[in-house]
Structures are given as structure tokens and as C-alpha cells.
Amino acid sequence: MAQDGTGHVHVIDDEAGVRETIAIILRGAGYPVSIYETAEAFVGGLDQATDGCILTDVNMPGMNGIALVRHMKSIGLDLPVIVVSGQADVAMAVEAMKAGAVEFLEKPLHAEPLREAVRIALDRTPAPRSPEAERYVRVVESLTRRQREVLTGILEGLPNKLIAHRLGLSVRTVEAYRAAIMERTQTRSLSELVRLGIMAGL
């Protein structure tokens, strides 16, 4: 298991305040941190970025997080990627994870989930269809049909209002289904729910 401070973190975000906040938190945990304003800037310095992990905003001008994940795979550089997303960018975060990102964090970022995501990324996630992935499949299969429909909408990045419209339900009913899904899956946040759905193959 990776411990705090045992891997280099490459932080990519077009917002200076976000970059600096992330750097302060991770440097405080002992991690060496390099920061970049754009994915292009990171790619331009790849000869110096051969270890550790990448933490990138998913929605940036120019090369976004999804394109970066795909570029890394195309050139055979196997650094784990954490994508950071606002509520409006959940669908992009899901697409990035399907492309190969290993973790997803939802804004606003908080110190402990951030440090934990870096630890997970440096340890890597289980391969698809590992025992843990199989457990996620069983959890999703235990949901009711309507709960799975709501979960599918969540993974598409749809707000509750649009999920309700699609399924012919009230927003309050969708909120109740969402709470029931999180209770059944024992997830505490949207990012955990997204990871579960991805690992289950949704």
C-alpha cells in the first residue's frame, strides 16, 4: 500500500487557485507536486514525468481530461489518472474513467478525500472482473429495475429533474431512489457511486 508522500503528483487545472490549493494539501502530506495550467503543458514536459500519478480537471480549454487519458494510453505511458469534476461534468468524468482514469473526485475538493484518491491512484485500482469488481456487479444486480434506471441516469450526468422527466417520476421520488441506491450500495458520495457503477460495467 502506498503511504502519504511516496509518489510524485502532477496536478493539471486551468484555475490557479485550484492548482495551488491542491498543491498545498498534497505537499502538506509529503507528496512532491508539479503543477500545470493545461494538459498541453504537461504533455510538453512528459520526458520529466515518468512516475507517480496525474490529477487533472476533466473540463479544460484545449485538451480536456478525457483526451489526456486517451493520449497517455496511445503513447504507452502508464501513469494512473485522477479526474476532477464539477456536478455539471459528471458525464465527462464517467467517460474519462471508461477511457482509463482510475479515480474521480467531485468539486469542491476536500483534503482527506483528495489524499485518499492519491493513495488509491498510486496503489492502482483492481483490474476489471477482479473479486472486488465482481462484488460491485452483485451490488448493482441487487438493485430494483427502477433503481438501476435512476443509477444509469446518474452515471450519464443527468440532474434529478431530467432523470425524473425521463422516467415519468417526480423529482422527490428520484431523490428517494437516489438515497436508497446510496444506502444499498453503501456509498457516501457521488464520486463513490460513479466508481461503483464503472467497476460494475455500467
Side-chain angles (χ1 to χ4, degrees):
M1 295 287 290
Q3 302 297 318
D4 280 358
T6 59
H8 199 112
V9 185
H10 305 276
V11 177
I12 310 168
D13 198 293
D14 57 314
E15 295 184 43
V18 174
R19 292 195 304 272
E20 293 300 334
T21 298
I22 292 172
I24 288 169
I25 292 170
L26 294 180
R27 285 170 179 154
Y31 292 105
V33 177
S34 297
I35 59 175
Y36 310 84
E37 185 175 355
T38 65
E40 288 86 352
F42 170 75
V43 169
L46 275 179
D47 57 334
Q48 300 173 5
T50 57
D51 67 341
C53 69
I54 300 165
L55 190 149
T56 180
D57 192 0
V58 72
N59 191 6
M60 298 180 293
M63 183 186 290
N64 64 23
I66 300 168
L68 176 62
V69 171
R70 290 174 175 159
H71 177 74
M72 300 285 289
K73 185 173 292 186
S74 72
I75 64 175
L77 186 54
D78 187 27
L79 294 185
V81 180
I82 303 164
V83 292
V84 178
S85 165
Q87 174 66 47
D89 302 322
V90 171
M92 292 182 70
V94 172
E95 187 176 350
M97 291 189 72
K98 287 181 176 179
V102 301
E103 273 294 308
F104 160 47
L105 287 176
E106 187 181 9
K107 292 180 178 179
L109 296 175
H110 300 286
E112 184 49 41
L114 174 59
R115 290 191 294 262
E116 179 63 16
V118 168
R119 284 194 292 267
I120 290 171
L122 292 170
D123 285 340
R124 302 302 178 93
T125 55
R129 296 307 181 190
S130 68
E132 187 173 3
E134 294 289 357
R135 179 173 65 82
Y136 291 152
V137 171
R138 290 194 296 272
V139 169
V140 170
E141 288 176 344
S142 75
L143 301 176
T144 67
R145 177 181 62 84
R146 187 62 92 184
Q147 286 174 337
R148 287 197 295 272
E149 290 173 344
V150 171
L151 177 57
T152 297
I154 292 170
L155 293 178
E156 291 174 8
L158 299 179
N160 290 343
K161 184 176 181 179
L162 289 183
I163 295 174
H165 178 73
R166 171 192 283 184
L167 300 179
L169 302 171
S170 70
V171 173
R172 182 165 293 184
T173 299
V174 170
E175 290 171 349
Y177 273 121
R178 186 167 179 155
I181 291 167
M182 295 187 76
E183 182 177 357
R184 176 69 68 87
T185 59
Q186 296 184 329
T187 52
R188 297 164 295 175
S189 66
L190 176 61
S191 57
E192 287 187 12
L193 194 59
V194 166
R195 281 199 300 274
L196 182 144
I198 294 294
M199 293 294 290
L202 293 182

